[in-house]
Amino acid sequence: MSESSESSESSESNERTTRDERFARGLEVLRAVDGEAGQRVIDSLADVSPELGHQIVSWGFGEIYARPGLAPRDRQLVTLGMLTALGGCEPQLEVHVNAALNVGLSPEQIVEALLHSAGYCGFPKALNATFVAKKVFAERGLLPVEQGPGAGAEGTDGKE
């Protein structure tokens, strides 16, 4: 074997190891954050676009979600806001409402974040996101959601 072909094989092996390592790290983060729901998304891509599934795991979770700059619960708050603002992302929003619960956000915090989004992206998108959250909460036995101060008609400070 020539030196150049040995070098090429070694380079391919290193790239594969790095690719495999990124995927393994991403899969660990995906399982910790999204649980079974995230794995179902990846599995559903196997017969149509396995590379998209690989990139979601390797890059999305192995590189982005694994970064130390934000706690997982904060990342989920950002994700919920972004998916709500985008609209038309209800299947992904369902996965991420579950993920938000998995990383420690309460149903009350999720509802508050979705209510907050109404001022920035409109009531229709906030309603759609809230109904997705309601579905997830129902599946997990978390309804009714407790209402915090300011939730009633008396005003935002909880006083009449």
Side-chain angles (χ1 to χ4, degrees):
M1 195 179 277
S2 72
E3 262 186 59
S4 66
S5 68
E6 283 179 19
S7 174
S8 175
E9 286 177 17
S10 176
S11 175
E12 286 177 24
S13 176
N14 286 342
E15 286 177 22
R16 170 58 65 189
T17 300
T18 301
R19 180 177 165 90
D20 290 345
E21 288 170 351
R22 280 194 308 265
F23 185 82
R25 180 177 62 223
L27 197 54
E28 185 179 318
V29 174
L30 172 75
R31 288 179 176 152
V33 172
D34 284 346
E36 292 177 17
Q39 187 64 53
R40 282 194 302 272
V41 171
I42 302 310
D43 292 346
S44 72
L45 293 168
D47 62 350
V48 65
S49 184
E51 184 60 23
L52 179 57
H54 182 90
Q55 292 301 322
I56 289 169
V57 172
S58 295
W59 186 76
F61 286 87
E63 297 291 329
I64 301 300
Y65 268 82
R67 293 177 56 83
L70 287 174
R73 65 179 307 284
D74 298 334
R75 286 190 188 282
Q76 284 306 315
L77 279 172
V78 171
T79 302
L80 293 176
M82 296 298 286
L83 292 173
T84 299
L86 285 169
C89 301
E90 285 74 18
Q92 293 78 22
L93 194 55
E94 184 175 342
V95 169
H96 287 282
V97 169
N98 271 298
L101 293 166
N102 292 345
V103 299
L105 286 168
S106 69
E108 295 80 11
Q109 290 169 319
I110 293 168
V111 168
E112 188 65 28
L114 299 177
L115 174 62
H116 184 74
S117 73
Y120 293 90
C121 55
F123 284 108
K125 289 179 179 178
L127 280 167
N128 290 343
T130 301
F131 288 130
V132 169
K134 180 180 179 179
K135 177 180 183 251
V136 171
F137 299 158
E139 290 169 354
R140 292 177 77 158
L142 300 173
L143 289 176
V145 174
E146 294 293 322
Q147 300 299 307
E154 63 273 355
T156 59
D157 62 0
K159 298 177 184 172
E160 292 187 62

